[in-house]
Amino acid sequence: MQNKITRMLMVFVILFSFTSCELVGDIFQAGVGVGIFIVVLIIAIVIWIFARFFRK
């Protein structure tokens, strides 16, 4: 029983010692970059479709 309590305590110490706010910030920053890339890509595709449609 003591071994389980020690393991659980170690897990909680490790979890609380990591800087989770920094991790969340990095994930959000990566998500913003990917989102901007996708929006620019969609706008480029729409412009390309209109250019092909109105060319003739």
Side-chain angles (χ1 to χ4, degrees):
M1 183 72 177
Q2 183 68 21
N3 196 12
K4 283 186 177 183
I5 293 173
T6 304
R7 284 185 187 175
M8 293 291 278
L9 183 62
M10 291 295 282
V11 168
F12 283 124
V13 167
I14 290 171
L15 286 175
F16 287 120
S17 67
F18 288 128
T19 55
S20 60
C21 292
E22 186 176 336
L23 177 66
V24 170
D26 291 341
I27 291 172
F28 179 73
Q29 189 175 11
V32 169
V34 171
I36 290 171
F37 176 74
I38 290 172
V39 168
V40 169
L41 183 67
I42 290 172
I43 290 172
I45 290 172
V46 169
I47 291 172
W48 179 74
I49 289 172
F50 276 118
R52 299 278 284 177
F53 183 70
F54 289 117
R55 183 182 292 173
K56 297 180 181 180

